[in-house]
Amino acid sequence: MSYKIAVCSGKGGTGKTTVAVNLFSTIQTKWTKNVQLIDCDVEEPNDLLFFKDAKVINRSIVNQLVPVIDESQCTFCGKCEEYCEFNAISIIPSVKYASVDPNMCHSCGACLHACKFGAIQEHQHPIGELTSFSRGNQMDILEGSLKIGSPMQTKIIKDLKANACDESDILIYDAPPGTSCPVVETVSAADFVILVTEPTPFGLYDLRLTVDLMKEMQKDFGIVVNKAGMGDREVYAYIKEEDIELLAEIPFNREYAGQYAQGKLLSDVPPLIEQEYLKLAIYLKNRMSHD
Amino acid sequence: MIEITILSGKGGTGKTGITAAFASLAKNTVFADIDVDAPDLHLILKPEIKEENQFLGARIATIDRQVCTNCGLCKKECRFDAIHYRAEGGLEVNPFECEGCRLCERICPVQAISSEHSTNNHWFVSNTRFGSMLHAKMGPGEENSGKLVTTVRKNAKEKAREENADFLLNDGPPGVGCSAIASLTGVDKVILVTEPSKSGFHDAVRLIELVQKFNIPLYAVINKYDINTEIAKQMESFFLTQGIQLLGKIPFDEDMVNAIVNQKSIIEYRPDSEIARKIKEMWNKVTEPIEEIK
Ligand code: SF4
Ligand code: SF4
Ligand code: SF4
Ligand code: SF4
């Protein structure tokens, strides 16, 4: 079994991807090659931008089952429409119209149970892709991407988790931002969660929401403060008050921010920053041996 | 009334800081924070809540173990694997996994399952120093289906009409999913706040694709443009080819963060700064009554 680490942030743009990508690289160069990075931010997968040397080794389509109504069998009774909690079905008896909107459908299957006339059948409908990449001889990065506008984020995340390489020592999940369903889906399987925040009132507010979620889910977690040195000290006061482990502080560095912008996250990492990632990796290693 | 939604694709581009700056310039405007997953605008606008409303979230099923015969049908049929056997016997629903589709409730032969709407979501109507504001708070782990976004927008629109406001300004959600779509449909203008990084560019392209599907006039702001002037230039020419009007470029400045720390907009915090001047210019461009001829 792999040890699973999820990297989350309540708010977007706190540097969640930066932390996930750097941690992955630190572990790979300093600890074990047997680590996989899984980009679960399926609406906006970005991890790959930082690995120019990565080659696609496999690409597969993710489908969802969407019901299709056979109008020649349908009596337009409207029962399926009533059963659909997601408003995906519209039936207009007067004009003998029946249709399912794949962009609203959650593939729950309730309408199949509603129809007593055998008028509904399910078909595969593509909602996104899984792509695995390699930077040497192993599959070390896995990315999921969702078709624009599809509500099926969690389906892709489930497939990502199912396709992760179970032989890896460590799996790093780069979670979507926020605290809603897709985050829960990503974090649910994790042994440990890293919450990335920034020392500003925005960062703190969203951190609180994420901490609440972690507590509700009974997850072990710790905090990484990114862009340290900017903003104020409130985040630190909160971390102390809540008795949460401060795992690392990544100092803000204007030049490095420019490098990040360029996609050059992993070359010429300033020593002060490199040191913090090493600290984080060592912490995780200790944790793993205790868990 | 003109409704404007501010989006960023990727988080952390400084969207809310810029929205707050626009808020302090806007006259006769209603504000809505429709980034319901991680709402931050209230930290600067400091709303005084006038009205609190419950938003009925997705349903969650529960099994009445007194009635349940353990036939296992619900567990077998639930497509989300949300129903599990308990160590101490009987079945239970994991509320985090349940999508609220009610299939189990409908097929249970002995009606042992019921479902209730989650009551963890709220939305508010408030006063701020710049005008009325609508915002929301979502419970942790709730489904962000865009319905709450739609509710907040609908009520914000009503409020704006009631006040005879000239503008409704929405601070939008990140991403390109259903909440982003819910924040777009039927708005008059969209402002895209980006930053010049590869990932920022990548996300901006995805978002532009989405907005263009809805045929909404799109404006762009490049924030922190001097973090990487090369990518900023690429973005500029991309916007040009897409017919997107660039409202302006804002340099990186720690004062943007300092303003937030002081719970102020940059306009309030550094009224005479270069950034404040630029943002004023941008707001004027967006609100110009006559569309620019270009
Ligand atoms: S599968 Fe579920 S969501 Fe899809 S149309 Fe049928 S009832 Fe609606
Ligand atoms: S339940 Fe079956 S017969 Fe009735 S409207 Fe739906 S598809 Fe048609
Ligand atoms: S279908 Fe009803 S009776 Fe059967 S296990 Fe589920 S709750 Fe119990
Ligand atoms: S409501 Fe739907 S998702 Fe929830 S437990 Fe029942 S069948 Fe499963």
Side-chain angles (χ1 to χ4, degrees):
Chain A
M1 276 285 269
S2 331
Y3 191 78
K4 305 182 185 74
I5 302 161
V7 184
C8 291
S9 71
K11 176 176 149 53
T14 55
K16 172 181 63 63
T17 297
T18 313
V19 171
V21 165
N22 266 305
L23 178 63
F24 168 70
S25 159
T26 306
I27 292 177
Q28 206 172 43
T29 50
K30 303 261 158 58
W31 172 6
T32 169
K33 284 249 171 259
N34 208 0
V35 50
Q36 200 182 16
L37 175 65
I38 301 163
D39 195 346
C40 300
D41 191 354
V42 300
E43 277 191 22
E44 273 153 357
N46 274 335
D47 291 1
L48 212 58
L49 296 172
F50 302 103
F51 301 98
K52 289 196 185 65
D53 52 342
K55 293 196 176 56
V56 177
I57 51 174
N58 190 26
R59 181 163 272 158
S60 61
I61 305 282
V62 180
N63 288 299
Q64 80 174 106
L65 284 172
V66 173
V68 174
I69 300 176
D70 175 355
E71 291 185 353
S72 68
Q73 303 280 319
C74 176
T75 62
F76 307 96
C77 70
K79 184 95 177 185
C80 54
E81 186 179 23
E82 180 201 318
Y83 265 41
C84 182
E85 281 292 303
F86 307 101
N87 296 321
I89 303 185
S90 16
I91 306 286
I92 312 169
S94 57
V95 292
K96 295 202 180 332
Y97 175 83
S99 102
V100 180
D101 181 352
N103 287 326
M104 312 270 286
C105 174
H106 287 226
S107 299
C108 70
C111 53
L112 297 168
H113 289 276
C115 187
K116 298 282 173 270
F117 303 92
I120 304 182
Q121 273 198 331
E122 288 180 297
H123 290 261
Q124 300 280 1
H125 176 80
I127 50 165
E129 277 183 352
L130 297 193
T131 317
S132 56
F133 299 88
S134 157
R135 299 166 64 224
N137 47 12
Q138 76 228 84
M139 165 174 131
D140 50 9
I141 305 167
L142 186 61
E143 177 194 271
S145 74
L146 181 73
K147 261 217 255 358
I148 289 175
S150 165
M152 299 295 285
Q153 280 189 52
T154 48
K155 163 77 177 139
I156 303 223
I157 296 170
K158 273 189 186 154
D159 279 33
L160 275 172
K161 292 200 301 194
N163 280 283
C165 178
D166 219 19
E167 312 279 283
S168 304
D169 295 334
I170 303 160
L171 298 177
I172 301 174
Y173 297 127
D174 185 3
T179 52
S180 61
C181 276
V183 179
V184 172
E185 184 60 49
T186 309
V187 167
S188 64
D191 300 298
F192 186 73
V193 186
I194 297 170
L195 306 182
V196 183
T197 188
E198 58 178 34
T200 65
F202 291 177
L204 176 59
Y205 181 81
D206 298 322
L207 177 65
R208 281 176 197 271
L209 298 178
T210 323
V211 167
D212 286 349
L213 179 66
M214 292 307 129
K215 286 187 176 160
E216 212 172 310
M217 293 181 72
Q218 301 175 350
K219 286 287 163 189
D220 287 327
F221 63 94
I223 294 175
V224 169
V225 175
N226 192 24
K227 306 183 196 169
M230 291 181 89
D232 59 8
R233 301 293 302 173
E234 295 294 314
V235 163
Y236 298 98
Y238 169 75
I239 294 173
K240 206 163 166 204
E241 188 186 298
E242 290 283 316
D243 200 19
I244 302 170
E245 189 111 27
L246 178 59
L247 306 172
E249 282 182 74
I250 319 284
F252 178 76
N253 177 317
R254 170 77 194 261
E255 229 168 81
Y256 188 56
Q259 234 169 279
Y260 162 85
Q262 200 56 266
K264 288 189 199 125
L265 200 53
L266 302 168
S267 49
D268 312 317
V269 180
L272 275 175
I273 293 181
E274 200 173 19
Q275 188 187 314
E276 289 299 305
Y277 285 112
L278 207 52
K279 194 168 117 192
L280 182 59
I282 292 168
Y283 173 88
L284 293 167
K285 196 168 179 185
N286 284 332
R287 220 186 146 94
M288 251 174 92
S289 55
H290 287 120
D291 274 5
Chain B
M1 189 255 301
I2 293 173
E3 186 179 10
I4 304 171
T5 293
I6 306 186
L7 290 173
S8 64
K10 171 179 160 21
T13 61
K15 168 178 64 72
T16 300
I18 291 177
T19 308
F22 285 157
S24 47
L25 296 167
K27 301 266 160 11
N28 196 20
T29 301
V30 171
F31 309 97
D33 191 347
I34 51 176
D35 184 358
V36 295
D37 214 6
D40 285 328
L41 191 60
H42 68 279
L43 296 169
I44 302 180
L45 264 49
K46 289 185 275 178
E48 194 188 311
I49 295 174
K50 290 283 162 203
E51 199 189 306
E52 176 169 345
N53 304 279
Q54 201 166 64
F55 171 80
L56 292 181
R59 286 173 185 265
I60 293 174
T62 37
I63 297 176
D64 183 346
R65 280 184 289 272
Q66 301 284 323
V67 180
C68 170
T69 62
N70 283 322
C71 75
L73 184 65
C74 56
K75 177 174 162 45
K76 186 172 147 259
E77 294 291 328
C78 172
R79 295 248 177 120
F80 306 98
D81 297 322
I83 303 179
H84 307 276
Y85 283 111
R86 303 190 310 163
E88 59 274 43
L91 286 151
E92 71 180 352
V93 177
N94 177 337
F96 284 119
E97 288 164 345
C98 175
E99 293 252 332
C101 70
R102 300 178 80 191
L103 175 133
C104 54
E105 182 185 340
R106 289 173 154 131
I107 59 170
C108 173
V110 293
Q111 278 88 49
I113 305 181
S114 57
S115 59
E116 295 290 337
H117 286 288
S118 120
T119 51
N120 270 332
N121 302 308
H122 294 88
W123 61 272
F124 316 95
V125 183
S126 303
N127 281 346
T128 75
R129 59 191 185 282
F130 305 123
S132 300
M133 171 177 180
L134 281 90
H135 48 124
K137 189 167 196 277
M138 242 175 49
E142 292 283 322
E143 177 165 25
N144 183 4
S145 63
K147 283 186 200 148
L148 183 54
V149 171
T150 307
T151 304
V152 173
R153 259 190 71 198
K154 190 175 129 241
N155 286 282
K157 260 188 173 162
E158 255 162 47
K159 185 85 192 159
R161 279 200 201 99
E162 189 187 300
E163 291 183 3
N164 221 341
D166 293 325
F167 298 99
L168 168 57
L169 192 59
N170 301 319
D171 188 8
V176 288
C178 30
S179 348
I181 293 178
S183 77
L184 282 176
T185 46
V187 304
D188 302 295
K189 295 178 184 192
V190 170
I191 302 173
L192 176 60
V193 179
T194 60
E195 61 167 30
S197 66
K198 285 215 159 165
S199 55
F201 197 178
H202 183 246
D203 294 338
V205 171
R206 262 170 89 86
L207 190 63
I208 288 166
E209 217 179 286
L210 179 68
V211 178
Q212 285 176 339
K213 279 192 194 164
F214 290 92
N215 255 325
I216 307 166
L218 186 57
Y219 301 80
V221 174
I222 303 179
N223 195 17
K224 311 178 217 174
Y225 80 90
D226 49 351
I227 286 274
N228 193 311
T229 45
E230 207 177 301
I231 299 179
K233 274 206 197 97
Q234 288 171 3
M235 290 178 110
E236 247 180 272
S237 38
F238 177 73
F239 294 150
L240 203 67
T241 61
Q242 297 294 310
I244 297 164
Q245 195 195 343
L246 181 67
L247 290 176
K249 294 185 289 186
I250 302 175
F252 173 82
D253 191 331
E254 279 205 36
D255 271 345
M256 285 298 273
V257 176
N258 296 334
I260 293 166
V261 168
N262 286 285
Q263 302 174 11
K264 288 191 169 108
S265 81
I266 187 78
I267 309 286
E268 294 169 297
Y269 185 69
R270 288 277 181 267
D272 301 320
S273 64
E274 178 66 12
I275 292 190
R277 192 186 57 76
K278 286 202 160 170
I279 293 180
K280 276 180 205 159
E281 237 177 67
M282 294 182 200
W283 180 244
N284 290 339
K285 274 193 209 164
V286 182
T287 54
E288 261 167 21
I290 307 150
E291 293 289 284
E292 49 295 319
I293 321 141
K294 241 184 224 157

